Amino acid sequence: SPPEADWVDVEVAEVCRASGDDRTRRLHVIVLKERVGSRRLPIYTGSAEAIALACSLEAVEMPRPMTYQMADSLLSAAGSRVAEVRITSLAEGTFFAVVVVQGQAGTAEVDARPSDALNLALVAGAPIRVSSTILDDPEAMSQAAWQKFSTRESELAAEEQQVRQELLASLNEEESREPR
């Protein structure tokens, strides 16, 4: 990312999903909003990343560490930390990001998918910044279909909890039927 870039502080405003019968084809979006200002930046993402972010936003307790909690713990165990996350550019409809890691060896920028970087920032409590060039880009800012998406992060997180409870119940049921 260019050192002369102007960075705008943002936060995750919401995570939402399009409705539809086919669970595998529903669009998910993470919407970032300026901390000072009114612009909103939608970043379309996969369902797993969106659901993980929704669970973090809703403070859903998981019985074991999820991937992003583990990644944050690994950095910490190595004496490092996530200093910030930057959404650096948009090229041909694809967003790019870096995770800025500070450690004993200094500061490093690690290339990442925006959805992974945002999940890690949320878990690590690190600031999120977007290049002002992206927020000034009409292509990035004109994607408004997400505003009609009906499912929000609280429902995504609740669905995930329900799925996990059902899976656990079926595993327990299966185990109790096995001969001892």
Side-chain angles (χ1 to χ4, degrees), residues 73-169:
S73 294
L74 282 171
L75 285 171
S76 181
S80 299
R81 69 179 187 86
V82 176
E84 68 180 347
V85 160
R86 298 180 188 153
I87 309 301
T88 57
S89 60
L90 172 64
E92 298 175 22
T94 300
F95 285 96
F96 292 83
V98 295
V99 176
V100 179
V101 176
Q102 283 182 336
Q104 296 160 346
T107 301
E109 291 186 8
V110 180
D111 185 31
R113 298 183 309 172
S115 55
D116 290 333
L118 292 169
N119 267 295
L120 190 54
L122 223 58
V123 167
I128 302 166
R129 299 193 167 95
V130 174
S131 168
S132 60
T133 309
I134 295 172
L135 293 174
D136 293 334
D137 183 339
E139 179 193 352
M141 301 307 287
S142 66
Q143 305 295 319
W146 65 269
Q147 293 172 354
K148 295 185 180 94
F149 289 7
S150 57
T151 307
R152 299 294 190 232
E153 68 256 8
S154 59
E155 295 145 297
L156 288 171
E159 285 175 13
E160 182 66 8
Q161 277 186 305
Q162 182 68 34
V163 165
R164 288 180 184 279
Q165 288 169 350
E166 288 171 5
L167 177 64
L168 223 61

Side-chain angles (χ1 to χ4, degrees), residues 13-14 31-34 38-42 135 140-141 146:
E14 58 188 317
V31 182
L32 302 177
K33 70 174 182 176
E34 289 179 288
S38 60
R39 294 180 290 186
R40 291 177 182 264
L41 176 67
L135 293 174
M141 301 307 287
W146 65 269

